Amino acid sequence: MPVKQPAGKIEQLILLFSKNKFYWKALMPTLVVGVFFSISVALVPLVIGQLFAQMTSDGNQRVLEFLPILLAVLLLTIIFTSSVIAYIHERLLSRIVLGLRVEIFEKLLTLPPAFSDFTTEIISLYFFQSIEKLCHSVTLLGLNFSRDFLIAIGLLSVMVGLNLEMSLFITAILISFFLIRQISYFDAGQQNKLEQKQHEISGSIAKILRLRRSVDLDNSYAQQVRHVQNSFDQWQSSLYIQSRQKRILELFSYSLLIGIFTISFYYLLQQHTLNRLTIEDMVAFVTAGIMLVFPLWRLVNSNFLLKQCNEALQVVFSLLNQTSGTVEDDYHIICLNHCKGKLQFEGISFQGRQSDPRLPCFNLEIASGRKVVLINQDPGINRLFADLICGFAQPSTGRILLDGNDTRQIISSELYKHIAWISPDQDLLSDTIAANIAYGSFSCSREIAITAAAHAGLAMEFIRELPQGLQTKNDNTSRMLSNDQRQRILIARALLKNPSIVILDETTAYFETDNAALLQALRVLLNNRTSLILSSRSVMRGLADQQFDPGNPVSLCTA
């Protein structure tokens, strides 16, 4: 669905920082440190000018010894305050980025499951590529405006204080310098237009080749050749115009730079000859001008950084602005205190998007405690059937009844309490074994209930051998548990929940059914519970009483 994006680059950043009030509160210490930083930078040219004057004349020996120490102190102050500013920005940004990543994950969890099958590449784009791009750009922007901007103000203030006319000349030189810098941006913009034109010509040639039969039948070979020749001629003309414009801009910029630099040099000598500008002021001017180049360069690049922020934030907000699928309305009015697990499908069909699996219209009844294996060859259709039962997807026609109640009228949280969905490749949390069994809404369960579930799931036999038993902390990286042990903990988790309906999903991975203890634990879990088995393996089909094909729903058959 189309998502409304914030209007501009600055607005997007303001929206990002408005989510984090502490960022604005931390700007005051940043500004205080920045003032010390700016003052220290502004004093450096003056100290260097005085030092040069003392060295080239018979100056005061004590002053000559003091100035290098003062210069060293100023440089250390600059380094320290610059590091403090960078540290504050990094700490603030790390908190913002952490909150943003958590918010993205929370958003993903609230999306309807049918629309949340993201690839690893898409997940990486949301959580890492876009965030890292945003983090890099915002860091540089923060340093630009809290450090480089203050440097520019301090140095320009010193230059204006020494000589206003000379300051204007220096400013003109810097403007000419940055004008030359903009040539590369102009060249990049023209290059994008040429690449777009190349793409259009390539597309036109590809279409002609696809329609080659028409060319032959209409005997239009010569006309097509002339058409493509004209396209190439226009492209080469555009290339020539771009090259000519670039050369003219370079010539103008360099001529302007050389002219202003020459005039400034003669003006500087004239001011010194007329004793209007001392030697220390001249050195201070040159030093301040050199120190001013790089801060202004970085400030000029701020527009490029804002563009990068905008690109990254568009990706992030495109997800965060999506409508959540977890909103309850007044239509959900039924609470289920007890559930037997009887399922009835009345006139059910599903016609989703063109790329979605579809279900033809059918009627079906699954008695309480029956175990059904879904045998369609398309895993998407089997999973869609399970999604309909859980309410993750809604049928296009008909209704689904659970113990005689329309599932669309059952409060979602109440419906979820009676269903357990187990995928064998589900990871455990980096927490204790007990916490992994007492998962979700059962996190406050008593240890006796957790132990009973572990016993029922045949997991206690290996849990006892762990260093702290149930209180042993799981470490996914060390592979402390084997696959069958991890799956038995998942079964114990489901047993603690004690659902009426169990869904075993082997769409993406298999249970370790070669392990006798795991197979027995599955039988315990399915006993007296309505069960759906999404599997193509014979060993899993052997656990079922009946089989059903959602894509060809004739009737239930004995497994």
Side-chain angles (χ1 to χ4, degrees):
M1 64 180 65
V3 178
K4 183 179 180 181
Q5 297 295 341
K9 303 172 186 177
I10 300 297
E11 288 81 354
Q12 294 210 51
L13 281 175
I14 293 175
L15 179 59
L16 174 66
F17 293 137
S18 65
K19 296 174 178 289
N20 302 272
K21 304 293 186 182
F22 63 89
Y23 186 86
W24 304 105
K25 297 179 181 178
L27 287 181
M28 185 57 66
T30 306
L31 291 176
V32 172
V33 177
V35 169
F36 283 102
F37 175 79
S38 177
I39 294 174
S40 300
V41 171
L43 290 175
V44 168
L46 299 177
V47 174
I48 291 178
Q50 290 294 328
L51 182 61
F52 184 84
Q54 293 292 330
M55 292 175 62
T56 55
S57 62
D58 297 331
N60 190 311
Q61 185 64 27
R62 289 187 177 181
V63 174
L64 188 60
E65 293 174 354
F66 171 73
L67 288 177
I69 298 176
L70 178 59
L71 181 61
V73 171
L74 289 175
L75 294 177
L76 288 175
T77 303
I78 292 171
I79 294 172
F80 176 75
T81 51
S82 177
S83 300
V84 170
I85 293 174
Y87 173 78
I88 293 174
H89 277 286
E90 289 174 0
R91 292 290 296 174
L92 290 175
L93 198 57
S94 65
R95 289 186 61 180
I96 292 176
V97 166
L98 178 61
L100 194 58
R101 284 188 167 120
V102 173
E103 186 178 359
I104 292 173
F105 183 67
E106 290 175 344
K107 186 66 180 184
L108 290 175
L109 288 180
T110 63
L111 293 177
F115 301 98
S116 59
D117 289 334
F118 297 100
T119 63
T120 303
E121 290 74 17
I122 296 298
I123 295 296
S124 177
L125 174 65
Y126 282 135
F127 286 97
F128 297 103
Q129 297 175 23
S130 298
I131 298 295
E132 291 302 323
K133 184 178 182 179
L134 176 66
C135 186
H136 174 74
S137 302
V138 171
T139 298
L140 293 180
L141 276 174
L143 293 178
N144 281 359
F145 290 102
S146 64
R147 188 175 63 185
D148 295 326
F149 183 69
L150 295 174
I151 290 177
I153 292 177
L155 293 175
L156 287 173
S157 299
V158 169
M159 294 168 66
V160 170
L162 292 174
N163 189 301
L164 178 59
E165 295 178 356
M166 193 63 197
S167 301
L168 295 176
F169 278 116
I170 295 294
T171 304
I173 292 176
L174 294 175
I175 292 174
S176 302
F177 182 76
F178 291 125
L179 181 61
I180 296 174
R181 173 74 173 125
Q182 292 303 312
I183 294 177
S184 62
Y185 292 116
F186 172 80
D187 186 47
Q190 294 295 320
Q191 188 64 33
N192 289 336
K193 293 181 180 179
L194 287 176
E195 290 177 357
Q196 183 178 359
K197 185 64 176 178
Q198 289 177 16
H199 181 73
E200 291 175 358
I201 296 174
S202 299
S204 177
I205 293 174
K207 184 179 290 186
I208 293 171
L209 294 176
R210 286 199 305 271
L211 303 176
R212 170 67 186 278
R213 295 177 181 84
S214 298
V215 175
D216 290 340
L217 292 173
D218 297 336
N219 195 25
S220 58
Y221 175 81
Q223 289 175 296
Q224 293 291 356
V225 170
R226 284 197 299 271
H227 170 70
V228 172
Q229 181 181 359
N230 289 336
S231 299
F232 284 138
D233 184 57
Q234 292 175 6
W235 180 76
Q236 290 180 193
S237 298
S238 300
L239 187 64
Y240 170 74
I241 292 173
Q242 177 195 353
S243 177
R244 185 178 61 184
Q245 290 175 341
K246 182 180 178 181
R247 288 196 301 270
I248 292 174
L249 277 175
E250 286 179 342
L251 179 62
F252 172 75
S253 301
Y254 284 118
S255 299
L256 182 63
L257 179 62
I258 293 172
I260 295 177
F261 181 80
T262 303
I263 294 173
S264 301
F265 180 75
Y266 278 109
Y267 179 80
L268 188 65
L269 289 179
Q270 182 189 42
Q271 293 293 308
H272 179 63
T273 303
L274 297 174
N275 294 322
R276 295 178 182 175
L277 194 66
T278 62
I279 186 67
E280 57 265 27
D281 290 343
M282 290 178 58
V283 173
F285 257 112
V286 173
T287 305
I290 294 174
M291 293 177 65
L292 195 57
V293 170
F294 293 104
L296 288 180
W297 187 306
R298 289 190 289 265
L299 287 172
V300 169
N301 288 334
S302 296
N303 187 57
F304 173 72
L305 295 175
L306 283 172
K307 181 180 178 181
Q308 285 192 318
C309 289
N310 184 54
E311 293 173 352
L313 287 173
Q314 280 185 344
V315 175
V316 172
F317 285 128
S318 68
L319 174 66
L320 295 181
N321 290 343
Q322 287 193 33
T323 303
S324 173
T326 58
V327 178
E328 296 280 3
D329 53 40
D330 295 337
Y331 190 66
H332 297 77
I333 56 176
I334 299 176
C335 292
L336 289 177
N337 294 323
H338 302 285
C339 181
K340 296 180 180 179
K342 180 181 178 181
L343 291 169
Q344 294 171 273
F345 301 80
E346 298 180 350
I348 292 297
S349 68
F350 184 86
Q351 304 290 329
R353 297 172 299 181
Q354 188 173 3
S355 59
D356 292 337
R358 301 187 175 193
L359 295 181
C361 186
F362 67 93
N363 296 296
L364 178 67
E365 180 176 322
I366 301 177
S368 175
R370 302 299 289 177
K371 295 176 277 294
V372 179
V373 60
L374 304 181
I375 60 173
N376 193 276
Q377 296 300 313
D378 185 356
I381 291 180
N382 295 333
R383 180 171 281 187
L384 172 60
F385 185 83
D387 282 343
L388 291 172
I389 295 174
C390 299
F392 297 150
Q394 296 299 328
S396 302
T397 62
R399 61 177 186 165
I400 301 174
L401 304 179
L402 175 59
D403 291 349
N405 300 301
D406 190 336
T407 54
R408 287 175 297 187
Q409 293 184 337
I410 302 173
I411 298 174
S412 297
S413 58
E414 291 292 322
L415 179 63
Y416 297 162
K417 286 195 301 186
H418 301 287
I419 303 175
W421 190 315
I422 306 178
S423 297
D425 56 346
Q426 185 175 351
D427 288 331
L428 299 179
L429 302 177
S430 295
D431 208 333
T432 64
I433 301 298
N436 272 285
I437 296 175
Y439 180 72
S441 58
F442 295 90
S443 58
C444 296
S445 298
R446 294 183 178 180
E447 186 170 348
I448 187 171
I450 297 172
T451 303
H455 274 293
L458 302 181
M460 279 306 296
E461 61 181 47
F462 66 84
I463 291 177
R464 290 194 192 96
E465 298 177 359
L466 297 176
Q468 286 83 39
L470 284 168
Q471 300 307 316
T472 302
K473 189 170 183 179
N474 174 59
D475 184 3
N476 289 317
T477 58
S478 66
R479 300 292 179 184
M480 180 180 67
L481 300 174
S482 62
N483 280 338
D484 70 277
Q485 291 173 341
R486 176 179 51 79
Q487 290 169 2
R488 275 185 276 173
I489 290 177
L490 295 176
I491 293 171
R493 175 188 295 175
L495 288 167
L496 179 63
K497 186 176 184 179
N498 192 24
S500 302
I501 300 173
V502 174
I503 300 172
L504 299 182
D505 183 7
E506 284 199 332
T507 302
T508 56
Y510 295 137
F511 287 99
E512 299 285 335
T513 50
D514 292 339
N515 185 284
L518 177 66
L519 194 58
Q520 179 60 28
L522 286 174
R523 291 193 175 97
V524 172
L525 175 63
L526 301 183
N527 187 41
N528 293 325
R529 292 184 172 91
T530 304
S531 306
L532 289 181
I533 302 173
L534 284 61
S535 178
S536 60
R537 297 194 301 154
S538 58
V539 63
M540 295 298 290
R541 292 186 177 187
L543 298 175
D545 305 318
Q546 298 167 312
Q547 60 184 19
F548 178 69
D549 184 355
N552 185 25
V554 179
S555 62
L556 281 173
C557 302
T558 303

